[in-house]
Amino acid sequence: MPEHIRSMVVILALAMLLFALIRRPACQLVNCSDFTRRRNLWISLTIIAFLAHNFWAYALIGSLVLYYNTRSEKNPVALFFFILFAVPSATTAVSGLGVVNYIIVFNHPRLIVLIVLLPTFIALLNDKSTVRFGRTLPDKLITAYLLLSIVLHFRNTTLTDTLRQSVYLGIDIFLPYFVISRSLKSIQDFRDAILSLVIACMILALTGLFESVRHWRLYSPLLGALDIDSGLHGYLSRDHILRASSAVGQPIVLGYVMVVAIGFYLFLKPHITSRLYQRLGIILLILGLIASLSRGPWVGFVALLVVFIITGPRAVRHLSALTLAASLSFAMLFIIPGGQRVINLLPFVGETGESTISYRQELIANALTVIKRNPWFGDPNYLEAPEMEAMRQGHGIIDVVNTYLGLALEMGVAGLILFLSFFLVILAGVYRGIKSVDKGSDERLLGRSFLASLASILVIIFTVSSISIIPIVYWSVAAMGVAYIQMIKKRNPNNAK
């Protein structure tokens, strides 16, 4: 049996097991028929991808299946999240047929944006109740960021390539932002979308755990079967333990989405009646985070817990309990067998993988030197600077493992300020929304979940570049934050400004 078929069988078996276990709690939160339809779609897309033997065959058949399902979908954002990670986001180019080198680079997330979100975008434009784009401050900031990106991209390339980049920005950033920020209008809309994202991440967690235990990258054979290639799917280990990555391609990306899912699960958890299911859900996501063996997301997880606790009731008491539990757990590691090995994996104190920390420190120092030469608008050729050339690693790449540095190098301080301002404005708006609603309400819990998740994202991307699905996740979470702010304003116009 070909390896990609064996991978498909294992992935489907694990997914079906998860779907069977979560069906009951999922049907407590959303309409059971919606869960069933999305589950069947996830299974169908997975089977099509593994059997297509060509990405474009998958894209054609998958588009037809997607289009059929969108006709019955009441919450396209929930559908989008449910299938976002069903297939790896490795890219392939549309041939230019000799006129140009290629027309566009395409992947699974772009496919579902066009099939699922684009029709919703058109419908929202024709809906008079839709908040007009540009009315909110985040709208203005993201517009300025996109325009600056396009203008700066034109400095060192052709008009054709700039137009291509504009299309990417429209598909990857603008469409998800607009549709998500305008579609989610009620607590039930949010609950439906968040549950879909959490379920998608639970599948990643379960398959990631399998990868770590069996030392087998389940989705790597799929890339060969689809005749596409991605450098993101190599085998990476830490202390002789395989770092799981599942369908998202990189261990740190898996850890990143696990943290986001945990933040959103904190909103869903009180609505699950069974304590057993409550605990199993959070344990699975935490195990998925651990399986990534990625310290940046581990630090982000701590940031998530701290923000969630300090915005909730009895913050000092709960924060003290968390600190005590963490201190006792760390102390126990010095006593129990194998504890030292765990300590070596921890950020700041562990010795395993120290080279990655020193690399990041050197990267910051060298990048700041390069930034000072072109501080306001960056340099499109920053990788050619001698300071950056010194960062070239053994496998021939210069890995700018810091989203903020990457932005400052390419777009300068101007681009970085617009990027940060966009997220900080949303954080401030969500925080005001939390303060304006009743304690103990779903709206307050939802706001705390958003605030903690977005804060953890901003921490994690300090340790990783915007690779794979990292950008589409942070733009989507930010868009959900905008939708939350608008929902609170409509309910409490005098308090949420």
Side-chain angles (χ1 to χ4, degrees), residues 67-68 160 283 299 379 404:
Y67 176 74
Y68 175 79
T160 301
I283 289 171
V299 174
D379 181 0
Y404 304 114

Side-chain angles (χ1 to χ4, degrees), residues 303-316 318-319 431 435 448 451:
L304 181 143
L305 292 180
V306 170
V307 173
F308 188 79
I309 288 172
I310 63 177
T311 54
R314 300 184 293 278
V316 175
H318 289 153
L319 198 58
Y431 182 74
K435 293 298 182 182
R448 291 173 60 204
L451 199 69

